[in-house]
Amino acid sequence: MSETTAKEKQYLFDKPANIKRFFWIFYFVLVLLLVLDLLLPKHAIFPWEDWPQFYAAFGFVSFVALVLAAKYVLRPLVMRKEEYYDE
Amino acid sequence: MSTGIHGVIAFWDYQLILARVDRLSLLFGYIFHLVAFLGAIYALHVKEDLEQMAGLVYAGSALGVVFAGDLLTLFVFWELLTVSSVCLIWNRRTREAQAAGFRYLLVHVVGGLCLLAGVTLQIHQTGSLAFEYIGLNGLATYLIFFGVGVNCAWPLLHPWLTDAYPEATVTGVIWLSAFTTKTAVYVLARGFPGTEVLIWIGTIMTAFPIFYAVIENDLRRVLAYSLINQVGFMVCGIGIGTPLAINGAISHAFNDILFKALLFMSIGAVLYRTGTTKATDLGGLYKTMPLTCICCIVGAASISAFPLFSGFVSKSMVMEAAALGDLRLIWFILLFASAGVLEHAGIKVPFFAFFSHDSGLRPKEAPWNMSLAMVLTAGLCIFIGSFPGPLYSLLPYPVDYEPYTAAHVIGQLQLLLFAALAFPLLLLSGIYPAEIRSINLDADWFYRRGGRLFYRIMDRALNGLNDRAEQVFSLGLAGWLGRWSRDLPFRLALLLLYPLWLAQGLRGEELRKKRLALQQALAEGASPVGIGAAVAMAFLLLFFILSGLV
């Protein structure tokens, strides 16, 4: 097995350095967005849209809430084995 | 075709309008042609006549629905949609596809019957076949509303979609994802704009499927849930009913057809090459299917509404319309659902298919026709996202909306990228739910398990009755009658002879012997003829007396 992997072509994300690079770019963009949010004018319809970093916080929190709810609430309720309907 | 009304035919006392062309129907006409063309390229390698013909009839029926000027024509094409589309499911030729196809057919037949009942009542009440604004007033309109709702995959009416689409053929699902739900969106947009209950129906549609999508293992089923989620934005927009909201709903239908087709195409290519769409079995495919991977990411970015991709320029119109209508709770749920879209369609689908852990699979790149269709569709997604002008110019109402403001772009990017930031954190911390080979119960439980329960109850009750009846009548009563009539000569003879024997002074053991001898003689037919004649005489006498009494 080790022979075949050694022979096989190295792909983009086989190198940890590339993954690291990808994440640095990602973090940089995130920070950039936080800064731009403070600098640029807003034209909010609701008052909370004017709060600094409202969208960033909302996006992060709802993603986490969604995953937790799906994993700890929905999955125990509805998950069955694949043959459930064949029995 | 010029705008206006074409093909008016007298039909008894009514008028059939075979084609009504206006801005609303034209826009759907354009996108249906476009996706039928792209889907046909994608399916070029398929050598199944039935599937290709069914696909084309299906596309034609969808066009028939959006150009139908009267309710009867609409209904005929509506049913044709169901009949032709089910072939695209059955043609997968697996046991699951066959079963799912039957369930799909049954659900749509029920929906179609509701529509027919509603249409008939409506024609009876208004005296006209015309398909114009309907609105909710009275039983007829509710029936039409419900019938359309089945095809639109409203909550609890939706499981036909998540049940059948993932079982359809690789190429058929492209067309399935485009036509059935979007024709329903069209009928709602024409018949029920501004119907308030649609706001809530749409909002629930955006919210509940995203939870299912997180824990679903089959990637095509994830896309099916995401289809409901996207149609939710359209239904919500139609419910709000302002020109901005309707424009948003219609343009989102246009864009969704393209990016959903693109996502189904890329996962379809994976299915075609590897034979599976289960997240547990896939991973690392970017290595040998880079083009498919890039197209999938374009589709994912479009559906997640990243700036420069098509979802951004249409979904935001619905959001803005909700905000302008001061629908606060609705707006929050829609925003939550937008983050949810990113989770399942934006990250989960491309990540688990093309990255994640290396599955060791090294399939070839998609065939040329699939690749071409994907590249063309991806190009359209980026073009519309970057230059929304042409699409906006086709919308039913004049567009006074600019998606590319600095605040909107930054806000949307913040929402998406900080939500995306949560993904690696959850994944690395082990909180992100592992992919498990499993299925998740949904509302189809009620007719899949519930139906079986109903069957079992009926089975117990009716077959129980049957068994009891059999025991009483065919085994009990008939046997008793049989025994009774067999023993009848003996009993009659005994009745006559017993007093005789007693008179002769026979008692005890002798009496029993006589009795046994008589029984044997009668059973063997060895009794003297005279006794037989006497018994017959006794019968006749009995009959005579009885008839005389009556």
Side-chain angles (χ1 to χ4, degrees), chain B residues 202-221:
Chain B
T203 307
I204 295 169
M205 282 173 80
T206 63
F208 90 87
I210 58 180
F211 293 96
Y212 270 98
V214 175
I215 54 174
E216 178 58 51
N217 189 33
D218 184 336
L219 293 181
R220 288 213 298 178
R221 193 155 277 130

Side-chain angles (χ1 to χ4, degrees), chain B residues 10-357:
Chain B
F11 178 71
W12 290 338
D13 293 341
Y14 304 108
Q15 278 195 329
L16 289 184
I17 303 165
L18 296 189
R20 175 243 323 264
V21 183
D22 61 8
R23 289 180 74 84
L24 183 60
S25 52
L26 260 183
L27 186 71
F28 276 91
Y30 292 141
I31 186 61
F32 283 173
H33 275 101
L34 196 59
V35 75
F37 174 68
L38 294 166
I41 298 178
Y42 187 76
L44 264 184
H45 65 281
V46 177
K47 297 285 182 273
E48 302 262 0
D49 292 345
L50 175 71
E51 192 183 331
Q52 299 284 25
M53 287 312 297
L56 290 174
V57 171
Y58 182 40
S61 338
L63 288 166
V65 171
V66 296
F67 287 116
D70 67 274
L71 290 168
L72 196 64
T73 313
L74 176 92
F75 173 75
V76 170
F77 282 116
W78 192 267
E79 288 301 292
L80 209 54
L81 274 179
T82 302
V83 175
S84 53
S85 57
V86 78
C87 296
L88 300 176
I89 300 164
W90 278 337
N91 217 45
R92 179 92 179 279
R93 300 205 174 130
T94 59
R95 207 171 58 81
E96 290 80 18
Q98 202 178 21
F102 270 112
R103 289 192 292 271
Y104 172 91
L105 195 59
L106 286 176
V107 171
H108 282 286
V109 164
V110 171
L113 283 177
C114 272
L115 183 67
L116 178 63
V119 166
T120 315
L121 277 174
Q122 177 81 355
I123 293 169
H124 184 69
Q125 282 166 7
T126 61
S128 142
L129 276 172
F131 174 34
E132 297 296 340
Y133 175 76
I134 299 172
L136 279 182
N137 47 42
L139 180 65
T141 55
Y142 275 101
L143 283 170
I144 297 176
F145 195 58
F146 182 83
V148 176
V150 170
N151 271 27
C152 204
W154 287 351
L156 300 181
L157 305 178
H158 72 278
W160 60 266
L161 196 158
T162 48
D163 178 23
Y165 282 12
E167 305 298 346
T169 62
V170 169
T171 52
V173 75
I174 314 298
W175 281 337
L176 286 170
S177 74
F179 297 133
T180 300
T181 46
K182 305 312 180 297
T183 49
V185 165
Y186 163 82
V187 174
L188 289 178
R190 187 175 291 285
F192 301 93
T195 305
E196 238 167 80
V197 64
L198 285 177
I199 300 178
W200 273 107
I201 293 175
T203 307
I204 295 169
M205 282 173 80
T206 63
F208 90 87
I210 58 180
F211 293 96
Y212 270 98
V214 175
I215 54 174
E216 178 58 51
N217 189 33
D218 184 336
L219 293 181
R220 288 213 298 178
R221 193 155 277 130
V222 172
L223 290 178
Y225 277 112
S226 121
L227 179 52
I228 299 174
N229 156 280
Q230 294 299 308
V231 173
F233 283 99
M234 300 163 212
V235 172
C236 183
I238 292 168
I240 295 171
T242 59
L244 177 66
I246 298 283
N247 272 346
I250 304 305
S251 57
H252 200 53
F254 191 99
N255 289 338
D256 177 66
I257 287 176
L258 288 174
F259 57 62
K260 192 51 57 66
L262 179 57
L263 285 166
F264 270 117
M265 281 178 187
S266 54
I267 295 303
V270 169
L271 175 62
Y272 182 73
R273 284 300 191 209
T274 67
T276 182
T277 52
K278 303 230 164 97
T280 36
D281 301 345
L282 294 171
L285 297 185
Y286 81 94
K287 298 176 177 180
T288 52
M289 300 180 84
L291 183 72
T292 308
C293 172
I294 290 168
C295 288
C296 185
I297 292 173
V298 171
S302 301
I303 196 172
S304 315
F306 271 96
L308 299 181
F309 294 91
S310 61
F312 181 73
V313 300
S314 51
K315 189 160 77 180
S316 49
M317 291 164 95
V318 177
M319 298 283 303
E320 176 117 344
L324 289 174
D326 204 28
L327 304 163
R328 296 175 178 213
L329 185 57
I330 301 285
W331 186 84
F332 266 110
I333 298 176
L334 293 182
L335 194 65
F336 172 69
S338 303
V341 178
L342 174 89
E343 195 287 326
H344 65 261
I347 294 179
K348 176 169 176 167
V349 169
F351 180 77
F352 283 103
F354 296 102
F355 302 98
S356 192
H357 70 283

Side-chain angles (χ1 to χ4, degrees), chain A residues 8 13 53 78 85 87, chain B residues 286 362 414 439 441 452:
Chain A
E8 204 187 43
F13 292 113
Q53 324 302 357
V78 299
Y85 283 117
E87 283 161 5
Chain B
Y286 81 94
R362 294 286 182 270
Q414 275 205 342
I439 60 160
L441 302 186
R452 212 177 292 179

Side-chain angles (χ1 to χ4, degrees), chain B residues 516-541:
Chain B
L516 211 68
L518 176 69
Q519 195 173 11
Q520 215 162 8
L522 278 172
E524 290 165 3
S527 57
V529 176
I531 292 185
V535 170
M537 271 306 288
F539 257 126
L540 281 174
L541 264 176

